[in-house]
Amino acid sequence: QVKLVESGGGSVQAGGSLRLSCAASGNTYCMAWFRQGLGKEREGVAGIHTAGRHTYYADSVKGRFTISQDNAKKSMYLQMNSLQPEDTAMYYCAADRYRCGTMLPVNFNYWGQGTQVTVSS
């Protein structure tokens, strides 16, 4: 079992920045950030292969969000710049211990409790 704990959410005005953190209790192979807005499906935002450092970004966040990791700390981060109201959502850290599949929730076995990001116009 891997426990994931997110932190760093909050409220900002449009154009602002936030940095999310996710601490894992064990080793992982793939980690990702998902988000879910009110009445919307959970969508993949960014992912990272913890060994090869290959990254994935959803088109909606490319150029604004940066995913990174610190393997020594078993932690993953999401730097979010130029935030917009449409980025408002609950953000979840997700992980899988054995593979990096497509960015769908079904491909991740471990989830954090979520951290709220609210962007006001």
Side-chain angles (χ1 to χ4, degrees):
Q1 289 289 334
V2 176
K3 183 178 180 181
L4 303 174
V5 179
E6 304 103 330
S7 61
S11 298
V12 295
Q13 291 189 327
S17 298
L18 283 172
R19 185 176 188 243
L20 305 183
S21 299
C22 174
S25 63
N27 293 325
T28 60
Y29 189 83
C30 191
M31 297 186 76
W33 290 98
F34 285 76
R35 67 185 181 187
Q36 188 166 17
L38 283 175
K40 298 182 179 180
E41 292 187 356
R42 191 168 296 191
E43 64 171 346
V45 174
I48 188 165
H49 180 281
T50 55
R53 299 187 180 241
H54 299 292
T55 58
Y56 160 88
Y57 293 97
D59 288 342
S60 59
V61 305
K62 282 180 181 177
R64 300 188 299 124
F65 291 11
T66 303
I67 191 170
S68 61
Q69 61 178 8
D70 184 333
N71 282 338
K73 296 181 179 179
K74 294 185 174 60
S75 294
M76 174 181 67
Y77 309 96
L78 187 67
Q79 178 66 43
M80 305 186 294
N81 298 328
S82 302
L83 283 162
Q84 299 301 316
E86 52 266 35
D87 295 315
T88 294
M90 184 71 80
Y91 283 71
Y92 296 91
C93 173
D96 193 274
R97 296 186 66 184
Y98 303 109
R99 67 188 185 104
C100 274
T102 54
M103 285 288 290
L104 295 173
V106 68
N107 289 329
F108 292 84
N109 291 322
Y110 302 101
W111 292 86
Q113 80 287 354
T115 185
Q116 179 67 38
V117 172
T118 302
V119 185
S120 58
S121 57

